Amino acid sequence: MPKMRASATKPPANQKDEMFRHTDIKQAPWWTVEADDKRRARLNCIAHILSSVPYHDAIPPLLHLPHRRPPDDSYIRPPKGEQNFVPDLAL
């Protein structure tokens, strides 16, 4: 019968703790999520991920539009029967 490694006989929580001890480094840290409340855990994960992304304000500057020209009094609208209109279905 083959011998089992000592780490294979440890409970999963101990194996996780041992893995963290060996692989949790400053350049690539592990983050543990308290997940008793699944909704809160998801929101906390999203907030944590977003907080790690560099952000700059993306709101564009206000536009300064020129004043409107006065209406052209010589314009005559063509009859409505000569144009296609989208049906008005608003109730």
Side-chain angles (χ1 to χ4, degrees), residues 20-79:
F20 275 28
R21 251 191 317 279
H22 293 288
T23 60
D24 184 22
I25 60 174
K26 183 179 177 181
Q27 296 83 0
W30 282 95
W31 295 92
T32 303
V33 179
E34 291 291 340
D36 294 334
D37 180 344
K38 300 300 181 194
R39 182 175 184 271
R40 180 171 293 214
R42 289 184 187 105
L43 292 173
N44 288 339
C45 281
I46 291 169
H48 176 72
I49 291 168
L50 291 176
S51 73
S52 68
V53 175
Y55 170 80
H56 65 280
D57 192 5
I59 298 173
L62 290 176
L63 294 177
H64 295 287
L65 299 175
H67 292 290
R68 295 179 103 182
R69 293 186 308 223
D72 183 8
D73 292 333
S74 66
Y75 174 73
I76 300 173
R77 185 174 181 168

